Amino acid sequence: MPATSPASTTFERLLIAALAFVAVLHSVHNLMPESALLAAMPGYSLARIETVGNAVTLVLAVLIYFVMARRLRDYQAVHREFTRQHAKDPVSGALARGQFLRKLQSELERRRTSGSVAFVIIDIDHFKQVNDVFGHPAGDEVLGFCTRLARETFPDATVGRLGGDELAVFMSHDEQIPESYVGEACDAYLAALREGLFINNRRQSVSASLGIAMAPSHTCNLNELLSYADLALYEVKRNGRGAWSVFSTEILADMRQERFIERELRAALLLKQLTVHYQPIVDADGQLNSLEALVRWHNPVRGVISPAEFIPVAEKSRLIHDLGLYVMQRVCEDMPQLPGVPVNVNISAWQLKHDAFLRDYIEVLERNGVTPDRVILEITESAMLNTSDDFVARMAEIKRAGFKIALDDFGMGYSEFNQLRRLPFDIIKIDKSYIQNIGTDIVTDTFVSAVTQIAGQMDRIVVAEGIETRDDNVRASVAGCRLFQGYYYQPPVALADITMLYEDPKRLSTAA
């Protein structure tokens, strides 16, 4: 930024003061009679006085002009430097949000009648967990890494950071950009991310979800383009993340369908239309160890609605806590007829952030005369858990209340082994994607073996999920798993069926 010296400032002030003084003299000259003016300045004619005054005024005006011109250039330089500094995001190196959107708006207007623009939103998956586990400097590295790869894999594209864990890219061309071309670029980008970067001297894979919208085929309106890309992005997240999707009218129909499901789910909770089924968790001899409670919904109009369809809607609409309490109430009502083993009740990682979570669940148990040791809280979406001191303290509070804690879907996300070290859980449920691939690749075998060995050292139980065949069962057992769950043993069934299946609860183990 150009600096103005004190001497320069003083000179400018003297010039302005002199010009003001001359202006005052001119005013006095205009007001004084000619005779008085000539008497005050003997030896000068009236014409000469006016000539000298005009000359002095002109010189002062020219000097002030040059001073002000220099000052204006200084301010313009400051403005250019300010714009340059704020045009780029200092963390990622991408364009800042405002600058990026201005460029995109300009390009949309230019391509309104000819050519096309492809717009891609990039959402880094589980970015918060990177910051929580590795620290914010590591998060900054990931942002820079994702930005660099975006420049490499999207040719001649403009890359910006929209905020937080969200980047964006747009490509512009005189001809129509094929969606297949954009898709290939997205595939290349995701593949490059999976190669990963080194964090704390360890290679860490990165995943992202991408939403695509095209102009003018979808819209030329900036806000609509952003909204459409967001809808496509949400579609990817709903289907498991780590992929890309192009906006379509079907996505809008899906959004309307979600709103319908949300309304119907609220009604189903109120009218008690949801039921609970139970799936056994058994030991190596097939003896019952515990049960998992799984919610089911038979809608009077649509028939059976899959949990994979309505639970994400419950998560997004924050109905998940109400749904969890509903299931807990039904399990408590079923307890007298169930075998005398603990029951796993699924809770969302989001619910653990709810201030009233523990109080509400204990109230349900007390109202039904059930003790917490009959319940295992099975945390779904374990990849979304953080290991901050506050969160660890909250889980410890749940343990002190008498609950056991199971970590579900273990093997997904960034923080698994840090979770093993930090979180006070009792049971690890290894994700079925690992269990069903034991013996097919060395990475899976090493991962499962490491988990079972660590769990053994920490006196924690490992459950193999997704046992569908005898081979799955044998491989999981050889890998060190001691409890098993899956269709090979028993699919989820209604209360009456589970009661018939285990008519003699005295022969069952009650240890979890």
Side-chain angles (χ1 to χ4, degrees):
M1 174 177 175
T4 304
S5 68
S8 176
T9 302
T10 301
F11 177 67
E12 292 171 8
R13 289 174 178 171
L14 288 174
L15 281 177
I16 294 172
L19 184 61
F21 178 71
V22 170
V24 170
L25 287 182
H26 268 281
S27 299
V28 171
H29 156 250
N30 291 330
L31 295 174
M32 289 178 63
E34 290 185 10
S35 57
L37 184 62
L38 292 172
M41 300 182 68
Y44 287 88
S45 66
L46 186 61
R48 188 177 180 186
I49 292 172
E50 289 181 350
T51 300
V52 171
N54 290 335
V56 171
T57 301
L58 179 62
V59 170
L60 290 174
V62 170
L63 287 173
I64 289 174
Y65 168 79
F66 282 109
V67 169
M68 291 298 102
R70 186 187 66 183
R71 178 62 65 88
L72 180 61
R73 286 195 300 272
D74 289 346
Y75 282 129
Q76 288 174 335
V78 170
H79 177 71
R80 284 194 298 271
E81 178 65 15
F82 179 85
T83 302
R84 186 189 67 79
Q85 291 179 357
H86 289 75
K88 283 195 173 183
D89 172 61
V91 174
S92 65
L95 287 180
R97 178 185 178 90
Q99 183 74 358
F100 177 83
L101 292 180
R102 282 191 290 273
K103 283 181 172 289
L104 178 57
Q105 176 70 64
S106 174
E107 203 62 27
L108 289 174
E109 292 174 358
R110 192 164 74 92
R111 298 301 185 189
R112 193 174 293 273
T113 56
S114 64
S116 61
V117 175
F119 174 67
V120 183
I121 286 183
I122 302 170
D123 188 274
I124 303 170
D125 295 333
H126 309 306
F127 182 69
K128 184 178 183 300
Q129 279 62 52
V130 177
N131 284 328
D132 289 340
V133 175
F134 300 108
H136 288 276
D140 293 347
E141 287 184 43
V142 170
L143 281 169
F145 173 70
C146 292
T147 300
R148 290 193 299 274
L149 289 185
R151 291 198 179 102
E152 293 172 9
T153 53
F154 293 93
D156 302 319
T158 301
V159 183
R161 184 183 180 191
L162 299 185
D165 58 358
E166 206 166 67
L167 303 173
V169 170
F170 75 81
M171 297 179 286
S172 179
H173 199 273
D174 294 336
E175 303 294 333
Q176 181 68 33
I177 301 175
E179 289 183 4
S180 59
Y181 175 81
V182 183
E184 289 172 3
C186 291
D187 284 334
Y189 181 68
L190 293 173
L193 287 181
R194 285 192 291 271
E195 293 295 318
L197 74 163
F198 282 95
I199 298 177
N200 297 337
N201 297 317
R202 187 179 73 181
R203 183 172 290 279
Q204 180 64 56
S205 178
V206 179
S207 171
S209 302
L210 284 65
I212 304 167
M214 308 290 291
S217 56
H218 293 146
T219 181
C220 279
N221 180 278
L222 176 62
N223 291 331
E224 288 182 356
L225 193 74
L226 295 174
S227 177
Y228 291 167
D230 263 331
L231 290 174
L233 175 64
Y234 174 70
E235 180 75 6
V236 174
K237 289 184 175 182
R238 189 177 65 171
N239 292 320
R241 304 175 185 263
W244 57 268
S245 177
V246 182
F247 169 78
S248 66
T249 54
E250 287 78 11
I251 291 178
L252 281 179
D254 290 343
M255 294 298 292
R256 287 192 288 269
Q257 175 67 11
E258 282 191 9
R259 287 194 290 270
F260 167 78
I261 289 176
E262 181 183 343
R263 290 193 301 270
E264 291 293 301
L265 182 57
R266 290 183 189 277
L269 290 170
L270 184 64
L271 300 173
K272 303 186 185 307
Q273 294 175 343
L274 302 173
T275 59
V276 174
H277 285 197
Y278 297 92
Q279 185 173 33
I281 299 171
V282 303
D283 62 18
D285 297 324
Q287 296 298 303
L288 183 65
N289 177 273
S290 54
L291 296 165
E292 181 176 357
L294 298 163
V295 66
R296 296 293 183 260
W297 182 13
H298 189 281
N299 183 273
V301 177
R302 290 191 55 205
V304 175
I305 299 178
S306 167
E309 189 173 359
F310 68 82
I311 288 179
V313 175
E315 288 272 7
K316 187 180 179 184
S317 63
R318 296 299 186 250
L319 276 173
I320 192 66
H321 187 57
D322 294 336
L323 178 60
L325 292 174
Y326 178 96
V327 172
M328 188 75 260
Q329 175 63 35
R330 293 300 299 267
V331 169
C332 288
E333 293 172 0
D334 292 346
M335 280 287 187
Q337 301 176 64
L338 289 172
V341 296
V343 179
N344 292 29
V345 176
N346 289 307
I347 60 172
S348 163
W350 178 87
Q351 283 180 270
L352 294 177
K353 303 174 186 177
H354 197 293
D355 290 337
F357 164 76
L358 184 57
R359 182 197 67 201
D360 291 347
Y361 271 69
I362 289 177
E363 282 182 1
V364 173
L365 293 181
E366 290 177 345
R367 188 166 61 243
N368 291 274
V370 176
T371 56
D373 61 354
R374 289 295 309 278
V375 176
I376 298 170
L377 296 179
E378 185 170 316
I379 305 174
T380 60
E381 298 184 349
S382 61
M384 299 302 293
L385 300 180
N386 66 60
T387 54
S388 65
D389 291 341
D390 289 344
F391 193 80
V392 171
R394 178 163 290 197
M395 290 191 69
E397 185 182 5
I398 293 171
K399 291 269 291 180
R400 285 194 298 270
F403 294 100
K404 288 186 176 181
I405 300 175
L407 204 58
D408 194 18
D409 301 327
F410 194 76
M412 309 299 289
Y414 289 95
S415 53
E416 295 82 19
F417 285 101
N418 200 45
Q419 289 172 349
L420 286 179
R421 184 174 62 86
R422 293 273 288 158
L423 300 180
F425 58 89
D426 304 280
I427 300 165
I428 310 168
K429 300 186 75 174
I430 300 180
D431 186 73
K432 67 179 182 180
S433 63
Y434 284 92
I435 296 300
Q436 294 174 355
N437 282 292
I438 294 174
T440 62
D441 69 86
I442 191 170
V443 174
T444 296
D445 294 348
T446 303
F447 176 82
V448 175
S449 177
V451 171
T452 57
Q453 289 183 44
I454 293 171
Q457 291 294 321
M458 300 177 73
D459 196 27
R460 294 173 180 176
I461 298 169
V462 176
V463 178
E465 293 187 293
I467 303 295
E468 296 184 359
T469 66
R470 185 176 184 279
D471 287 344
D472 289 342
N473 189 70
V474 171
R475 286 195 293 262
S477 181
V478 170
C481 299
R482 293 295 171 260
L483 294 178
F484 310 89
Q485 179 181 2
Y487 278 61
Y488 174 69
Y489 288 100
Q490 180 66 49
V493 293
L495 173 63
D497 296 318
I498 207 74
T499 303
M500 289 178 61
L501 190 62
Y502 298 98
E503 289 181 320
D504 182 12
K506 292 181 182 179
R507 67 183 175 85
L508 304 171
S509 169
T510 58

